[in-house]
Amino acid sequence: DTGVSQNPRHKITKRGQNVTFRCDPISEHNRLYWYRQTLGQGPEFLTYFQNEAQLEKSRLLSDRFSAERPKGSFSTLEIQRTEQGDSAMYLCASSPTWTGVGYTFGSGTRLTVV
Amino acid sequence: AQTVTQSQPEMSVQEAETVTLSCTYDTSESDYYLFWYKQPPSRQMILVIRQEAYKQQNATENRFSVNFQKAAKSFSLKISDSQLGDAAMYFCAYRSALGNTPLVFGKGTRLSVIA
């Protein structure tokens, strides 16, 4: 297993367009997390899945954001009608169920909305 | 809600010297885990060290060690014999041992290593 994979690495989009990011977690990990990181800040939690079930969503996740994890494997994060404030690094991480371990992070998708 | 505070936005250290990064957290829980993550420029975040709150012994991983003060809710990271490759953003993070709560991160400390 090569770790957590995120695609694309970079995305530039025009304001108002829809974008979708993909995350492939470590295959043995049943938990998958999405975070957003803006410049100079720590990662902020967006949402997470245990297998295919979305168990928690942050207040940061407006109705323009939607995430899925069909069949408990890869996950997608879609942002509709992008705004300049959506410009950020979107990080995906996975972990096993046990809360004592840390997460394994992907390299992130950097979104720039122009 | 739990919060994590890193009061040093930037730190610098001479190569081969020792540096300590500070972290405090706020929680009403007694059972939890604490982590330090390293994020090099344009590279992915990696786990440096973890501490279980019920263990009094401070965790150590090679040149990295922590000073965990549970009563003071303090969790500092000490990097010994600093190397150029240690230059990165360092994030302190908290995770409850109960339920399914996600990691909560501090805002980070940018560490520069001077040759």
Side-chain angles (χ1 to χ4, degrees):
Chain A
D1 199 327
T2 56
V4 177
S5 176
Q6 289 189 248
N7 288 289
R9 291 293 304 274
H10 302 276
K11 178 71 176 178
I12 301 174
T13 190
K14 291 183 179 180
R15 190 174 52 186
Q17 297 294 306
N18 299 344
V19 294
T20 300
F21 311 139
R22 175 175 171 131
C23 172
D24 288 89
I26 292 174
S27 56
E28 311 89 77
H29 289 178
N30 59 355
R31 289 189 175 177
L32 186 149
Y33 306 83
W34 285 100
Y35 281 78
R36 182 172 69 187
Q37 186 180 21
T38 53
L39 203 60
Q41 300 294 318
E44 296 174 297
F45 170 73
L46 292 178
T47 188
Y48 93 94
F49 294 83
Q50 178 154 318
N51 300 315
E52 66 275 10
Q54 189 173 18
L55 295 187
E56 187 173 342
K57 293 192 290 186
S58 162
R59 293 173 300 163
L60 294 175
L61 211 66
S62 76
D63 56 5
R64 295 185 298 105
F65 288 69
S66 62
E68 296 182 340
R69 193 184 181 196
K71 302 178 182 178
S73 56
F74 70 92
S75 175
T76 57
L77 178 68
E78 181 184 19
I79 309 174
Q80 296 182 326
R81 305 181 304 280
T82 52
E83 302 172 356
Q84 287 189 321
D86 297 331
S87 296
M89 176 75 83
Y90 290 84
L91 298 172
C92 176
S94 68
S95 79
T97 305
W98 182 48
T99 56
V101 299
Y103 301 167
T104 302
F105 281 85
S107 298
T109 294
R110 181 168 295 284
L111 173 66
T112 302
V113 182
V114 298
Chain B
Q2 293 83 16
T3 58
V4 176
T5 302
Q6 294 180 248
S7 59
Q8 306 153 314
E10 295 183 0
M11 292 281 286
S12 62
V13 62
Q14 293 279 350
E15 198 175 5
E17 297 296 307
T18 296
V19 64
T20 299
L21 308 183
S22 301
C23 172
T24 58
Y25 57 95
D26 185 26
T27 184
S28 58
E29 298 177 336
S30 60
D31 198 10
Y32 49 86
Y33 302 92
L34 297 164
F35 306 86
W36 278 99
Y37 279 87
K38 171 185 178 182
Q39 188 177 40
S42 301
R43 295 181 63 184
Q44 71 190 94
M45 196 171 306
I46 57 174
L47 179 64
V48 174
I49 198 166
R50 60 184 285 273
Q51 175 78 41
E52 296 153 328
Y54 63 85
K55 288 189 177 179
Q56 293 186 338
Q57 185 173 7
N58 290 321
T60 299
E61 290 286 343
N62 300 314
R63 298 182 295 107
F64 297 88
S65 61
V66 298
N67 183 5
F68 173 49
Q69 302 289 328
K70 191 171 184 179
K73 297 180 182 175
S74 171
F75 183 62
S76 60
L77 174 70
K78 186 172 80 171
I79 306 174
S80 303
D81 185 26
S82 297
Q83 301 175 0
L84 294 178
D86 294 333
M89 285 291 291
Y90 285 83
F91 294 98
C92 178
Y94 171 101
R95 187 177 190 183
S96 172
L98 304 175
N100 299 315
T101 55
L103 273 176
V104 177
F105 287 87
K107 292 188 175 183
T109 297
R110 181 176 302 280
L111 178 66
S112 300
V113 180
I114 303 166

